[in-house]
Structures are given as C-alpha cells and as structure tokens.
Amino acid sequence: MLKSEARTEYLQKRAQITIKQQAIWDDLLLIKVQQLPMPPLHAVFSYAAIERRKEISTDAILSYLEFRNPGMRIAYPVYDARSSAMEAVWVDEETLFRVNEFGISEPLNGVVAQPRELDLIFVPLLCFDERGYRVGYGKGVYDRYLKEVRPDALLVGLSYFEPVPLIADTDKFDVPLNYCITPQGIYEF
C-alpha cells in the first residue's frame, strides 16, 4: 500500500467510527498502555488530538503516566508553517492553548523542550505497517523532529486499526516506531 492510498483509506475509516466505538477503543488503548514495559519517565512529548478527525486522545494515558511517574513533564508540539518545522513546548496546568490554522491545539507560551530531553514521544498517525513505519498527514514534520531525539527515547504510535502489511513507499527520511498500540494489541518493532 502506498502512503497516499493509506491516507485516503484510513481517513475514511476514521470518519466512520462512532462515538461509542471511540470511547470503548480509547479505554482499551489505555489498558494496553498500562501493559507496556516502560522505564521511569521524566519527559513525555504528546499531541493534542484533533477531534473532528477522530484522532486518539492521549489525555487519559498522560494522566496515568503522570500518576506512575511523579514529576513527569509534558510537552506539546508547536508547528511553524513558514519553516515546516515543529518544536516541543513544556506545558503545565496554567498553560493556555490556541487552535492553529490546521485545527491543532498548541500551547501559547512556554519553554521549548530540547529533543534530547524526551523519554517518550507519542507520534500521531493514520495507519502503520508491520515494520513500524507510519503514515501521517504527509508533511514529514514528525519524521524530521524524531531524527533529533535520543536513540533510546521510546517512539509510540496509537492506532484504532491493526497494521497494514507494508507501506511500500517509505524512504530514508521515515523514522519507524518502537511500539504501536491498538485496542487489540501491542506491536513492538
């Protein structure tokens, strides 16, 4: 399957998910995350789900991880459309967010987290393959950012759907995940 085909197919599949299905699957994803072997976490980079696209919310997962890792810091992305680059910005309960031109909630202020500080990165995706490669929205923003994180940082995707056998048009710029979690299982790469 090509990335463009996967993008079209999985956007359509997501659009067909009911609110009830999504709530059940979110609960199952949290249970699977709780089963994932993880070292102590000090710094996690997540994303704010775009509800209209039925992206998987990481809110409950982050609450669980904060409970398990007192003092853990969380960062969210801020995208610069001019440079097509992304930064991670530390947030706390006082942080205000705004919705950017792409419908993504971003922190309005905060200190930039250095990529090498991050222990775990939740990487958004539309689908993934059996080798751990993902299909995103097609700008390559995350892949460029992930090249800057530590080699031992965990790259974790969350998906409502099982993997496709192969994304045929991956290239040297694509960064594979370490894990992808679905309501049905944990995939390690």
Side-chain angles (χ1 to χ4, degrees):
M1 176 176 281
L2 297 176
K3 291 178 186 177
S4 60
E5 296 168 332
R7 211 168 275 119
T8 299
E9 181 178 331
Y10 282 86
L11 282 170
Q12 289 173 353
K13 282 186 173 195
R14 271 219 204 131
Q16 296 170 0
I17 298 171
T18 67
I19 292 171
K20 183 177 179 179
Q21 280 176 317
Q22 193 170 14
I24 292 167
W25 290 346
D26 286 349
D27 288 345
L28 292 171
L29 284 165
L30 175 59
I31 291 167
K32 293 295 182 195
V33 168
Q34 292 169 345
Q35 297 169 358
L36 188 66
M38 282 191 254
L41 300 173
H42 305 286
V44 173
F45 182 32
S46 190
Y47 60 88
I50 303 171
E51 288 183 29
R52 66 180 167 76
R53 288 194 171 170
K54 296 189 180 167
E55 287 186 340
I56 296 168
S57 173
T58 60
D59 294 346
I61 293 168
L62 292 172
S63 293
Y64 164 74
L65 293 175
E66 284 181 299
F67 173 76
R68 296 287 307 206
N69 300 277
M72 182 184 88
R73 297 170 67 193
I74 300 171
Y76 280 88
V78 173
Y79 177 67
D80 181 350
R82 290 183 310 268
S83 65
S84 195
M86 177 178 69
E87 292 182 317
V89 173
W90 296 118
V91 300
D92 60 27
E93 56 278 341
E94 304 296 320
T95 303
L96 298 175
F97 284 75
R98 73 169 182 91
V99 177
N100 71 14
E101 64 269 25
F102 302 103
I104 302 168
S105 290
E106 299 178 326
L108 271 175
N109 52 18
V111 176
V112 173
Q114 297 306 308
R116 298 233 175 245
E117 293 180 87
L118 304 170
D119 301 316
L120 168 67
I121 297 98
F122 284 111
V123 186
L125 55 86
L126 291 167
C127 74
F128 68 106
D129 74 9
E130 293 173 349
R131 302 172 304 151
Y133 288 96
R134 58 180 266 287
V135 173
Y137 292 108
K139 294 186 187 297
V141 175
Y142 269 85
D143 289 308
R144 284 192 300 280
Y145 187 84
L146 295 175
K147 293 221 186 278
E148 303 301 318
V149 302
R150 295 189 329 259
D152 65 330
L154 292 177
L155 309 180
V156 178
L158 303 169
S159 178
Y160 289 132
F161 308 106
E162 294 302 291
V164 299
L166 178 70
I167 298 166
D169 56 343
T170 57
D171 60 37
K172 65 181 180 180
F173 301 109
D174 293 321
V175 177
L177 302 168
N178 298 112
Y179 294 96
C180 196
I181 302 169
T182 71
Q184 296 78 28
I186 298 172
Y187 294 86
E188 184 175 1
F189 310 105

